Amino acid sequence: MDERRANIDLAFRNGLKDYEVLPPPDAWMNIDSRIARKDKPAYFLRAAAFLAIAMTMSVLAYRWIGKTSSMLDNSVMALSEESSAPVFSDNLINPVSRQVRIARSEVKPIDKITENSEADASSTSDERVSSVFTLPQSNLHIPIKTSTFNIIRNKAAIPEIPNNDLFVDDISQEYQDYLVDNTVSDNNHRWSITALATPTYYGKINSASDALSQQIKASEQAVVSYTGGVALSYKVNKRFSIQSGLFYSSVGQDLEGINSFAGFQKYDNTKGDHNFEVLTTNGTVYTNNADVFLFADGNSDRIVTNYNKDVFDPQKASLDYINNTMRQNFSYLELPVFLRYKVVDRTVDFNLIGGLSYNLLLDNSVYTVVDGSKYMIGTTAGLNMFSISSSIGMGMEYKFSEKLALNLEPTFRYYLNSFNSVSGSQFHPYSFGIFSGISYKF
Amino acid sequence: MSEIKEIIKGCLAGNRKDQELLYRRHSAKLYAVCLQYSGNNEEARDILQEGFIKIFENLGNYKHEGSFEGWMRRITVNTALEKFRSRNSLYRVDDIDQMPEPDAEPDNQDYAGLEAADLLEIIRELPPKYRMVFNLYAIEGYSHKEISEMINISEGTSKSNLSRARVILQRRVGSFTGIKKRIANG
């Protein structure tokens, strides 16, 4: 009798050894959310560390640029940039790269059961676990509604069991989808391409305090500009992404109190290449249109010319008045190198974004508008062909689907070097824009 | 460094991918343990969730001595025990005489014909107190003295519960295999 009872114990012990049942799909989500809540302080520490690194990089880059600028004897700062492609590694094995196989195992006959089962149990499977990343292959059952066991079961003879939906021989499609959604996607969607655009408000920080600089700045009004382009990002791990791309940005400001007239060419007897120089915070504007005549309201120091009002009166010469505002416009091609840190990983993701952009000057023009058409006046001299700006922002990403997402990224940008290096005073532009766009993961 | 050590290290660093990896690798086996200790799936899921949270919280205490899976299993069983203790007063022990008589006394071949899923289903039909004692004694290998301390009963009660659990299991196996035989014989 005792032996038979011991055999019952062994039959259950050995029969259930290594038995596996896939848990409900939502179990991990519940665990994950509980763990995530406990890890929250760490996220903020990481975010703070990330911000500190971004700011340190910006300061170092700024100081480096300052040194480089002082070594150059002209106004054009050339930057040689070499980007080394980051090396990424992904040692993790795709968790469902192998097909889940399910098999039901028979219980060993009692006469073959030995007491070494205890040893077998204790020697479980660090080796086996580490050899593959797969769902268990023996004794694996998944709860779904239908069951082969139900077919042979006589409910009249055996008391009702509340868990009769527990075992099946096939993995459900729902569960496979869940596994794919929650494990494979991270590996398969490391890249994303995003089209982004934003209207941008520009301002400047003035480090000069002389009266002329202040007057010049007071007469300048930033205009709403725009930036747009395509960003390509690579997810290094679950939190960090590195992003680059190409953007086109247009920056501008209105120079108020500069009156312009047309028809001056017939009175122009000088041999110089320009007749007027207009001082601005972004550099000196040289007119290259011989037909234009300029004079400034109030303080005439803003315009340097041989044709001041004492020498030439445009009204007496019956020149055509055009406007009293000029627009100074620059276009840049931007190559950003940003780091993105995912603070919240939910349906709406929140990312911290920071990094540097290398900006190549494409277009430099000064014009005024007459009857809706541009009337070209000149260009701004002494502009740096390259400039570097630092950016910091917060990105929100709403996922439409596994691959498509809507992005909204309020971003503040600070130019580490001014647009020009000859004006005597340093004006560092900054900008704020809310980038919006669509991203596609692949 | 072995892969499992790397995963543990990643979990300790708060790497969610490693945490999920650890879960995916071991959850099926631990869920089977949870089912073994519970009468319904919801309770089993709760035990699994709470057990895994404890595993993640206590990973730093794992000394890499002995089986990691055994360490996780002990935490899971302890979680089931806590759940049992919190509900112990609610459980009633069914009268053993109300259990159906088996068609025949099961023999060795009857057990051989049972699959692991059948065994689990049979064990889950036990009244909670019997199931807990049987699991701790027959499956986990604890002594009656240890069990008495674990679930706050006397050693005599532990022995009695085990004995009754075995009788019930024997009857269930007998009924179960009797049905199978009848189906097989047409």
Side-chain angles (χ1 to χ4, degrees):
Chain A
M1 186 69 177
D2 285 344
E3 188 183 345
R4 192 172 63 192
R5 284 176 177 174
N7 286 342
I8 293 172
D9 294 357
L10 283 175
F12 277 91
R13 184 191 300 168
N14 289 346
L16 292 171
K17 183 171 68 103
D18 295 337
Y19 184 60
E20 299 181 348
V21 181
L22 282 179
D26 61 345
W28 169 245
M29 286 182 272
N30 294 335
I31 294 166
D32 187 39
S33 63
R34 294 266 297 274
I35 298 169
R37 277 206 298 274
K38 291 185 178 178
D39 286 350
K40 224 171 189 175
Y43 292 161
F44 285 117
L45 283 176
R46 288 180 192 179
F50 172 77
L51 283 173
I53 290 168
M55 289 175 71
T56 305
M57 284 174 63
S58 299
V59 170
L60 289 175
Y62 172 68
R63 296 190 68 170
W64 175 76
I65 287 165
K67 282 182 183 176
T68 308
S69 297
S70 65
M71 289 164 64
L72 296 173
D73 199 27
N74 56 47
S75 61
V76 178
M77 183 173 69
L79 292 180
S80 170
E81 52 179 293
E82 268 185 35
S83 63
S84 59
V87 178
F88 304 113
S89 66
D90 182 8
N91 295 324
L92 295 177
I93 303 166
N94 186 335
V96 288
S97 60
R98 295 179 54 175
Q99 177 68 36
V100 176
R101 286 173 291 174
I102 303 166
R104 309 183 80 179
S105 72
E106 298 289 323
V107 178
K108 295 172 187 171
I110 286 178
D111 55 1
K112 293 182 181 175
I113 294 171
T114 62
E115 284 293 341
N116 67 359
S117 59
E118 193 69 38
D120 291 343
S122 64
S123 66
T124 30
S125 59
D126 278 357
E127 295 83 7
R128 186 174 60 232
V129 166
S130 61
S131 62
V132 288
F133 178 33
T134 180
L135 291 167
Q137 298 187 18
S138 65
N139 288 343
L140 178 59
H141 296 269
I142 301 134
I144 63 168
K145 289 181 180 175
T146 57
S147 167
T148 53
F149 181 69
N150 288 339
I151 298 169
I152 61 168
R153 187 154 175 244
N154 183 337
K155 292 191 176 184
I158 299 179
E160 183 61 36
I161 303 168
N163 308 301
N164 59 353
D165 60 347
L166 189 60
F167 310 113
V168 293
D169 286 336
D170 295 315
I171 187 166
S172 70
Q173 187 59 45
E174 180 189 3
Y175 207 97
Q176 288 187 39
D177 290 345
Y178 166 78
L179 290 176
V180 170
D181 288 346
N182 287 277
T183 54
V184 178
S185 58
D186 282 347
N187 287 334
N188 284 351
H189 298 153
R190 284 192 175 276
W191 292 93
S192 70
I193 189 165
T194 311
L196 289 165
T198 179
T200 312
Y201 175 78
Y202 271 82
K204 284 194 238 36
I205 296 171
N206 184 6
S207 61
S209 57
D210 61 286
L212 179 58
S213 295
Q214 296 298 337
Q215 284 175 5
I216 290 172
K217 192 185 178 201
S219 68
E220 295 175 350
Q221 295 296 325
V223 296
V224 175
S225 305
Y226 58 90
T227 302
V230 176
L232 187 68
S233 64
Y234 179 83
K235 191 195 285 186
V236 180
N237 58 39
K238 193 130 187 167
R239 294 280 167 197
F240 277 102
S241 300
I242 189 165
Q243 176 182 309
S244 188
L246 274 181
F247 284 78
Y248 176 86
S249 69
S250 173
V251 184
Q253 65 176 359
D254 282 341
L255 310 174
E256 295 177 340
I258 308 287
N259 298 287
S260 50
F261 296 82
F264 180 64
Q265 191 161 18
K266 58 188 175 189
Y267 302 103
D268 179 19
N269 299 314
T270 59
K271 293 181 179 177
D273 57 355
H274 61 272
N275 294 322
F276 300 92
E277 297 176 8
V278 182
L279 302 180
T280 76
T281 56
N282 289 326
T284 304
V285 174
Y286 289 179
T287 56
N288 55 14
N289 182 351
D291 200 45
V292 71
F293 177 88
L294 300 176
F295 79 85
D297 289 341
N299 193 338
S300 60
D301 291 344
R302 292 174 62 193
I303 295 180
V304 179
T305 179
N306 292 326
Y307 295 100
N308 57 41
K309 283 189 78 174
D310 298 332
V311 177
F312 186 84
D313 187 340
Q315 288 171 333
K316 287 182 180 174
S318 300
L319 298 188
D320 297 327
Y321 176 74
I322 302 173
N323 209 329
N324 74 335
T325 301
M326 295 192 310
R327 178 160 292 184
Q328 191 177 31
N329 194 74
F330 313 118
S331 297
Y332 285 92
L333 185 67
E334 299 180 1
L335 176 69
V337 180
F338 288 172
L339 275 177
R340 302 170 68 93
Y341 178 77
K342 188 168 286 187
V343 182
V344 176
D345 186 5
R346 292 287 182 272
T347 305
V348 180
D349 293 345
F350 284 88
N351 299 281
L352 284 176
I353 305 164
L356 300 174
S357 292
Y358 302 90
N359 311 301
L360 170 67
L361 182 66
L362 292 182
D363 180 53
N364 161 24
S365 59
V366 177
Y367 59 89
T368 189
V369 177
V370 53
D371 297 331
S373 300
K374 286 182 181 177
Y375 182 77
M376 298 307 297
I377 292 176
T379 59
T380 305
L383 290 177
N384 292 324
M385 281 301 290
F386 287 99
S387 63
I388 295 182
S389 57
S390 61
S391 297
I392 193 161
M394 166 70 89
M396 283 163 279
E397 184 179 298
Y398 175 75
K399 292 170 190 154
F400 290 128
S401 67
E402 189 66 23
K403 292 185 174 180
L404 274 180
L406 174 68
N407 294 69
L408 204 62
E409 300 177 354
T411 303
F412 177 80
R413 175 181 298 184
Y414 179 73
Y415 285 80
L416 298 176
N417 54 335
S418 58
F419 285 167
N420 74 84
S421 56
V422 295
S423 62
S425 58
Q426 294 290 311
F427 289 87
H428 288 271
Y430 62 85
S431 71
F432 179 78
I434 301 177
F435 285 86
S436 59
I438 301 286
S439 63
Y440 177 78
K441 292 183 172 60
F442 58 98
Chain B
M1 187 185 287
S2 71
E3 193 185 3
I4 191 68
K5 283 185 179 176
E6 285 183 10
I7 294 171
I8 292 171
K9 192 178 172 186
C11 292
L12 288 171
N15 186 324
R16 293 176 70 194
K17 191 149 196 159
D18 283 326
Q19 289 168 343
E20 185 169 359
L21 195 61
L22 187 79
Y23 173 83
R24 299 277 173 227
R25 284 192 173 186
H26 298 282
S27 59
K29 193 163 279 185
L30 293 180
Y31 187 56
V33 174
C34 297
L35 289 170
Q36 193 180 307
Y37 279 83
S38 59
N40 60 70
N41 294 355
E42 287 72 28
E43 189 181 23
R45 187 183 62 181
D46 288 347
I47 295 169
L48 180 77
Q49 290 173 180
E50 289 170 26
F52 256 104
I53 288 164
K54 285 179 187 170
I55 287 167
F56 286 126
E57 286 176 345
N58 291 285
L59 265 180
N61 299 326
Y62 176 62
K63 304 297 182 194
H64 299 279
E65 296 165 358
S67 160
F68 179 61
E69 198 170 280
W71 181 79
M72 289 197 298
R73 183 185 175 104
R74 280 195 294 281
I75 289 179
T76 307
V77 170
N78 284 336
T79 307
L81 261 171
E82 286 170 16
K83 187 79 78 180
F84 175 84
R85 286 193 206 104
S86 67
R87 296 182 181 179
N88 191 19
S89 59
L90 303 175
Y91 294 138
R92 69 181 183 85
V93 176
D94 296 344
D95 188 350
I96 196 170
D97 294 333
Q98 293 176 1
M99 300 295 170
E101 287 293 328
D103 291 359
E105 284 290 308
D107 55 24
N108 290 354
Q109 290 305 315
D110 291 333
Y111 288 108
L114 290 176
E115 296 170 356
D118 303 329
L119 291 174
L120 181 60
E121 189 158 350
I122 290 169
I123 214 170
R124 296 184 76 201
E125 293 175 19
L126 285 172
K129 289 182 179 177
Y130 295 172
R131 183 173 62 232
M132 181 56 74
V133 171
F134 181 80
N135 275 326
L136 292 175
Y137 185 90
I139 311 292
E140 309 299 336
Y142 289 107
S143 68
H144 285 297
K145 188 172 187 305
E146 289 170 319
I147 294 168
S148 68
E149 291 166 357
M150 288 164 111
I151 57 176
N152 199 24
I153 57 173
S154 68
E155 280 189 59
T157 304
S158 177
K159 287 176 184 173
S160 165
N161 285 359
L162 177 68
S163 176
R164 286 166 183 265
R166 282 170 171 162
V167 171
I168 295 169
L169 289 174
Q170 203 172 4
R171 290 182 179 180
R172 291 272 162 81
V173 170
S175 300
F176 197 85
T177 52
I179 294 163
K180 275 193 162 183
K181 283 175 185 172
R182 281 205 301 275
I183 292 172
N185 294 332

